[in-house]
Amino acid sequence: MVDAIDRAELFFHERVSVDASEKPTYRLTIVAHEPYPFLLGVLLRGRAIPNRLKLYDGRFDGVITVKEWDDFRALADQIDERFGKFELQSVNQVETTGEPLGSGQLGRVLRNELSQEQLSVLRTAHSMGYFDVPRGATADDLATELDIAQSTLSERLRLAEKQLFDLVFSGGPSPTAEADAE
């Protein structure tokens, strides 16, 4: 279905349906090449937070958050103008609108997914310049600061990095974290 969208290509996909009896649901990562007026680009440039976008039967269905009604109205007009049709299904007004990922939301998600040991190693490594180029601290420096063996530091750091990459590339917790939740 993505092939039918001009200047867009499928980067990654995975099935996210939990129950085999459900109609299959997939999470797609799509690379859209501008200047094609792709919906996500229009939303982001309109300062909207896309909470969910679903593509089915040749149409997008979505949930977005905007700060003010006037922002929403302008965005709706722009979507209608660029894509030919916009239909508002419902509106909910809330006290807080949430924040884009750059505002600390990503940090809160990661703090919920990583162990305290992993967070401590990453926080210390970051603050001491371990990830800087050139490095501001060695693994030995980190291990000494944390009062742990260098092999323990190395293991915790690798596990934390793996967990981060699992979150980024799978769109959810790692299989280990999911098994722990069961």
Side-chain angles (χ1 to χ4, degrees):
M1 187 180 306
V2 174
D3 295 339
I5 302 173
D6 188 33
R7 302 180 59 88
E9 61 185 279
L10 180 63
F11 176 75
F12 176 78
H13 74 281
E14 67 179 326
R15 185 176 175 156
V16 293
S17 299
V18 178
D19 185 356
S21 65
E22 290 181 28
K23 183 176 180 183
T25 301
Y26 295 89
R27 177 179 292 122
L28 306 176
T29 303
I30 299 172
V31 178
H33 304 281
E34 296 290 346
Y36 182 81
F38 197 69
L39 180 60
L40 184 58
V42 171
L43 294 174
L44 294 173
R45 283 190 289 280
R47 295 187 327 258
I49 300 170
N51 302 88
R52 183 183 72 224
L53 291 175
K54 293 170 80 176
L55 173 65
Y56 64 96
D57 296 332
R59 70 180 228 177
F60 276 102
D61 214 16
V63 175
I64 64 165
T65 303
V66 293
K67 191 168 187 166
E68 301 290 333
W69 177 254
D70 289 340
D71 295 336
F72 174 75
R73 201 57 255 154
L75 186 59
D77 290 342
Q78 191 173 21
I79 290 170
D80 190 51
E81 177 184 312
R82 289 198 173 188
F83 299 101
K85 184 175 183 185
F86 175 83
E87 184 178 335
L88 177 62
Q89 297 292 317
S90 66
V91 175
N92 292 324
Q93 184 174 349
V94 294
E95 292 298 315
T96 59
T97 60
E99 300 175 40
L101 286 178
S103 62
Q105 181 179 349
L106 181 58
R108 286 188 295 278
V109 168
L110 294 177
R111 286 189 292 276
N112 290 330
E113 295 294 332
L114 298 175
S115 72
Q116 287 305 313
E117 291 84 10
Q118 292 169 335
L119 284 170
S120 177
V121 166
L122 287 175
R123 189 177 293 117
T124 302
H126 182 261
S127 69
M128 291 181 67
Y130 179 79
F131 298 112
D132 293 350
V133 177
R135 287 192 196 275
T138 66
D140 287 332
D141 295 334
L142 297 178
T144 300
E145 176 70 21
L146 292 166
D147 196 27
I148 58 176
Q150 201 278 337
S151 60
T152 302
L153 170 94
S154 180
E155 179 182 347
R156 287 181 186 172
L157 191 56
R158 279 194 328 271
L159 288 171
E161 291 170 333
K162 181 185 182 324
Q163 184 75 9
L164 288 172
F165 287 126
D166 285 347
L167 286 167
V168 169
F169 294 115
S170 73
S174 71
T176 303
E178 288 176 354
D180 291 344
E182 293 177 343

